[in-house]
Amino acid sequence: MKKVCISGSGLFTPAESVSNDELVLAFNTYVERFNADNAEAIAAGSVTALAPSSTEFIYKASGIKARYTVDKAGVIDPDVMHPQIRPRANDEPSLMVEMGLVAARQALENAGRTAADIDAVLVACSNMQRPYPAMAVELQHFLGAGGYGYDMNVACASAAFGVQAAVDAVNSGSARAALVVSPEICTGHLNFRNRDCHFIFGDAATALLVEPLETATGAHRFEVLGTRMQTQFSNNIRNNFGFLNRSETPHRPWNDVLFAQEGRKVFKEVVPMVSDLLIAHLNALGIEPNSVKRFWLHQANLSMNQLIAKKVLGREPSIEEAPIILDEYANTSSAGSVIAFHKYHQDLRPGDVGVLCAFGAGYSAGSVVLRKL
Ligand code: CO8
């Protein structure tokens, strides 16, 4: 088996950020209007009054302070409450590809590579802009790469599963080098009128380059010591959007084809699943958890990350050991753990071990153990 490494990473961050205060103002304006418009029915008991959201709750419950979005104006307009995106002609790059290209080019540059050096492009993310042609094939085209591309969706764990597929492809020789690109426009699938989840997600795109260790030349290379993936069916995080929506009779209500979750159940069930996975994976590789210098964890909830790291280490993690980006980015689904990796890997020393770990709907979880060269 060839030794394989991650030799470069890239990140695209949208220009506009929405603070909790701005988001809550839009939500509460919508709530006041709804309650005023339905005052009689609320008084008669046939409609339930909506409750306001709060900045304090959002930060305390999740650790999120802000999120980036592809369109701030639409998200914070109480009459709209979703991003508004210009429809593009078929020969223009789609928005997801435009975001993915920035991250992909940066990953190539950081690895000292060009598009000519790769022959696999995997677009691995939760939210695909369309079913076909594959986003990956479009990205491959605009990047100018040869070989092949395909899309894969394992929700928030997509990037970890993408790394495993890329490692397998490079190992087996089916690709010389492979890019794993995770463009996420989560705000497009978020119900900004649902108090339970209106604050959770943001938009971003990431990329990782996977290539043989022997020939990699990037300044920050990480040998892939092992990958381990796990899935377990759950309806606690669900999105019913799909091509059969048109045919379902009667039609589902619009809010049933957006993101929905039972947040508390997810928290309780995913923490043990992920910590057990990490402990077992490190054990199998003969690595003592306390010798791991960094955990680049999926970024959904601050307390969840702290608890997972605590279960793995047997003590509280420091912020350096398990860095947090969700205060600034919120949950960017598959991009989250890679954003943490991208921003917090340059200080590691040769020999240091780190774990990239992503988890989410499915349930799905993936662990990628890395050693700095
Ligand atoms: N403002 C004020 N109060 C609120 C608000 C709000 N915005 N929302 C809820 N409350 C109230 C509730 O009504 C409740 O009141 P009461 O106690 O009177 O019943 C109280 O606050 C507590 O509510 P919760 O129990 O819901 O609050 P939690 O402490 O559980 O926090 C969280 C909610 C933050 C959602 C938390 O449960 C959490 O983060 N859980 C983990 C979720 C998670 O990790 N999910 C992963 C999802 S990502 C994924 O895999 C899918 C990817 C797909 C991407 C699609 C993009 C759209």
Side-chain angles (χ1 to χ4, degrees):
M1 296 284 261
K2 264 187 214 134
K3 285 189 172 181
V4 176
C5 70
I6 290 177
S7 55
S9 64
L11 168 64
F12 167 80
T13 302
E16 298 182 317
S17 170
V18 179
S19 69
N20 285 347
D21 281 345
E22 291 171 310
L23 198 71
V24 166
L25 177 63
F27 181 84
N28 289 350
T29 305
Y30 156 72
V31 166
E32 279 166 27
R33 288 181 192 172
F34 177 91
N35 290 345
D37 290 347
N38 293 280
E40 273 182 30
I42 291 169
S46 55
V47 169
T48 308
L50 298 180
S53 182
S54 92
T55 294
E56 296 70 35
F57 170 85
I58 294 172
Y59 182 63
K60 199 165 151 245
S62 68
I64 296 166
K65 293 180 183 163
R67 70 284 300 142
Y68 293 97
T69 173
V70 293
D71 176 50
K72 179 170 178 170
V75 164
I76 61 169
D77 181 341
D79 290 327
V80 181
M81 298 182 85
H82 58 75
Q84 290 182 303
I85 294 160
R86 175 181 68 83
R88 297 185 179 194
N90 287 353
D91 56 359
E92 286 181 87
S94 49
L95 181 56
M96 270 184 78
V97 162
E98 189 176 279
M99 292 165 63
L101 275 171
V102 175
R105 287 185 177 128
Q106 205 182 99
L108 286 172
E109 191 183 329
N110 286 337
R113 294 285 177 214
T114 68
D117 297 316
I118 57 164
D119 41 29
V121 176
L122 313 187
V123 167
C125 63
S126 288
N127 304 290
M128 294 295 171
Q129 195 167 337
R130 58 159 192 269
Y132 45 81
M135 306 310 303
V137 177
E138 187 190 338
L139 205 140
Q140 173 200 17
H141 165 73
F142 282 105
L143 202 57
Y148 63 91
Y150 63 87
D151 294 346
M152 52 186 289
N153 180 353
V154 203
C156 294
S158 296
F161 280 70
V163 168
Q164 172 162 283
V167 167
D168 290 348
V170 173
N171 247 328
S172 69
S174 59
R176 286 168 301 149
L179 262 179
V180 180
V181 188
S182 302
E184 293 282 15
I185 309 176
C186 298
T187 57
H189 262 245
L190 180 55
N191 184 354
F192 283 99
R193 293 190 171 92
N194 180 342
R195 176 176 174 256
D196 290 341
C197 65
H198 77 112
F199 55 89
I200 291 180
F201 291 100
D203 304 330
T206 56
L208 292 171
L209 183 65
V210 174
E211 60 177 318
L213 185 71
E214 225 182 350
T215 47
T217 57
H220 297 281
R221 286 160 291 148
F222 287 82
E223 181 183 354
V224 179
L225 297 179
T227 59
R228 188 175 280 200
M229 307 293 129
Q230 191 184 336
T231 52
Q232 180 187 307
F233 185 63
S234 166
N235 279 316
N236 289 332
I237 313 170
R238 188 146 179 134
N239 184 328
N240 285 319
F241 179 75
F243 77 99
L244 289 180
N245 291 154
R246 186 187 65 153
S247 302
E248 286 175 320
T249 312
H251 289 306
R252 291 168 185 273
W254 68 269
N255 55 3
D256 194 32
V257 295
L258 296 173
F259 167 86
Q261 73 170 353
E262 296 280 345
R264 209 149 263 221
K265 288 188 190 161
V266 173
F267 195 113
K268 274 197 193 135
E269 292 169 5
V270 169
V271 167
M273 177 182 169
V274 172
S275 43
D276 289 352
L277 170 74
L278 288 175
I279 291 167
H281 193 201
L282 289 169
N283 260 338
L285 293 168
I287 295 167
E288 153 60 28
N290 268 286
S291 71
V292 174
K293 288 284 185 292
R294 194 139 303 158
F295 291 89
W296 299 286
L297 299 177
H298 172 52
Q299 307 275 320
N301 181 295
L302 176 59
S303 319
M304 202 170 171
N305 283 21
Q306 287 168 337
L307 199 52
I308 289 169
K310 188 176 170 188
K311 279 179 179 287
V312 174
L313 293 169
R315 60 173 171 81
E316 299 286 343
S318 69
I319 193 68
E320 289 76 25
E321 284 173 314
I324 292 297
I325 58 92
L326 68 81
D327 53 342
E328 180 185 349
Y329 282 82
N331 182 345
T332 52
S333 194
S334 63
S337 56
V338 185
I339 299 175
F341 173 82
H342 180 78
K343 288 187 173 270
Y344 296 100
H345 70 261
Q346 298 200 354
D347 60 316
L348 293 187
R349 297 181 180 180
D352 283 351
V353 170
V355 183
L356 186 137
C357 174
F359 43 88
Y363 298 131
S364 53
S367 161
V368 179
V369 180
L370 301 168
R371 180 165 56 208
K372 180 84 192 273
L373 289 159

